[in-house]
Amino acid sequence: MPSIDPKSLSTSKLHGYLLSAIAPRPIAFASTMDAEGNPNLSPFSFFNVFSANPPILIFSPARRVKNNTTKHTLQNAEITKEVVINVVNYNMVHQMSLSSTEYPEGVNEFEKAGLTMLKSDLVKPFRVAEAPVQFECKVNEIVKLGSQGGAGNLIICEVVKLHIDDAVLDENGAIDQNKLDLIARAGGSYYSRAKDGFFEIPKPIATLGIGVDALPEGVKNSTVLTGNDLGMLGNIEALPTQESITTFIEDVAERYPNIASVTAIEKHKLAKNYLSFGDVESAIKVLLS
């Protein structure tokens, strides 16, 4: 068994060991707002509940390892002292993952991820309407754990109001864990589904995904594609060219001879099938054919 002095490792190597060994971890889908009122949304897996009286949640946006900068969530929490922590279930996991893309300041991750902004009752940041449980919080304290890349910043939040979707409650008004269907973070590209175990999601591309907001209206408003499906499509770097779409149609002509002329619903069903196998490139070409 290797025994390792953490000081002998690079921060990125140590980070990988920690995230793989301390897993699965719950996810705080944190909604904040900057001083100008611009919304921000980002997931954090350094997160848990620490007190019931008072009700305290703590999450930690770490300083970026690569350039020692801080995240917009931390900056906003320092300024406004408010945050909404939304829980993440399986139905929205791909949209949550897409929102973690490093979009520039001022870009609305709600729109990029195709999620709905829901006005809060007591704080200014928006809730995620699709989240089955949402905690409106005031920030009591921020504890900085260091000044170098990888250092955490404990945002200590007091819950001032919580919202629970009736659909995840049992007959006694308690949360049904199977209905809630939470997901958690592990190392690398791994997540864990509370009731089913581990699965993988490719990390958002190094460049910027186009976002759900950049998809054609007919795709965004699909009655077939789910939020997870849209999240996968929104993670592509660019829409395919017409030439590549034409080539794709020719390549699959033997299997799908009428693909260019079928109804939108049939195209969406076929695209959904491609997405079920992780073939996002073929799915978007079907949708745009």
Side-chain angles (χ1 to χ4, degrees):
M1 174 185 290
S3 298
I4 304 170
D5 180 349
K7 294 180 181 178
S8 70
L9 299 174
S10 66
T11 302
S12 58
K13 185 75 170 178
L14 178 58
H15 184 259
Y17 281 144
L18 291 171
L19 268 61
S20 295
I22 312 300
R25 302 180 305 282
I27 297 172
F29 206 9
S31 168
T32 57
M33 189 173 285
D34 68 17
E36 285 70 47
N38 297 308
N40 180 268
L41 181 65
S42 188
F44 299 91
S45 67
F46 290 177
F47 164 63
N48 221 308
V49 55
F50 290 87
S51 173
N53 186 22
I56 298 293
L57 310 178
I58 301 178
F59 72 104
S60 177
R63 301 181 72 91
R64 295 182 180 91
V65 174
K66 60 184 178 182
N67 57 14
N68 197 24
T69 56
T70 57
K71 298 184 178 180
H72 298 143
T73 299
L74 175 60
Q75 297 164 17
N76 293 346
E78 289 175 325
I79 294 170
T80 68
K81 306 297 184 184
E82 293 181 338
V83 62
V84 175
I85 296 179
N86 307 273
V87 304
V88 181
N89 67 358
Y90 188 73
N91 288 340
M92 57 189 288
V93 63
H94 282 278
Q95 290 168 284
M96 177 278 301
S97 177
L98 178 58
S99 76
S100 69
T101 301
E102 295 278 352
Y103 290 112
E105 186 174 4
V107 170
N108 187 338
E109 289 86 0
F110 280 91
E111 294 178 354
K112 285 295 180 186
L115 294 166
T116 308
M117 294 189 297
L118 184 62
K119 185 175 175 58
S120 296
D121 292 345
L122 301 179
V123 299
K124 291 180 181 177
F126 293 98
R127 294 179 276 150
V128 176
E130 290 80 1
V133 184
Q134 308 135 12
F135 299 95
E136 297 185 31
C137 303
K138 65 176 183 178
V139 176
N140 286 351
E141 184 181 359
I142 298 177
V143 180
K144 299 181 185 297
L145 302 179
S147 59
Q148 300 301 310
N153 297 274
L154 305 184
I155 301 182
I156 302 173
C157 306
E158 181 172 346
V159 178
V160 294
K161 196 163 193 178
L162 64 155
H163 308 265
I164 306 174
D165 189 337
D166 288 332
V168 302
L169 297 176
D170 64 18
E171 63 277 8
N172 299 314
I175 291 177
D176 184 318
Q177 293 295 301
N178 283 301
K179 292 179 179 178
L180 190 59
D181 199 10
L182 291 178
I183 60 100
R185 194 74 170 88
S189 59
Y190 280 97
Y191 290 78
S192 179
R193 188 176 184 181
K195 64 181 184 180
D196 280 341
F198 283 108
F199 63 97
E200 284 189 89
I201 294 180
K203 291 185 178 181
I205 55 179
T207 51
L208 299 184
I210 62 171
V212 173
D213 60 330
L215 296 172
E217 289 298 319
V219 175
K220 288 191 291 186
N221 297 323
S222 173
T223 58
V224 175
L225 301 174
T226 65
N228 270 343
D229 294 331
L230 296 178
M232 295 172 72
L233 293 167
N235 196 37
I236 61 175
E237 185 176 355
L239 292 174
T241 64
Q242 186 56 53
E243 180 181 0
S244 68
I245 294 172
T246 300
T247 300
F248 171 79
I249 297 302
E250 293 171 352
D251 290 342
V252 299
E254 185 174 343
R255 195 172 8 156
Y256 304 113
N258 302 315
I259 189 172
S261 58
V262 299
T263 65
I265 288 181
E266 290 302 314
K267 286 184 181 179
H268 289 206
K269 288 180 178 178
L270 179 56
K272 187 175 182 66
N273 185 57
Y274 275 119
L275 289 171
S276 71
F277 293 100
D279 189 352
V280 181
E281 183 178 354
S282 294
I284 191 64
K285 289 177 180 176
V286 167
L287 293 167
L288 298 181
S289 65

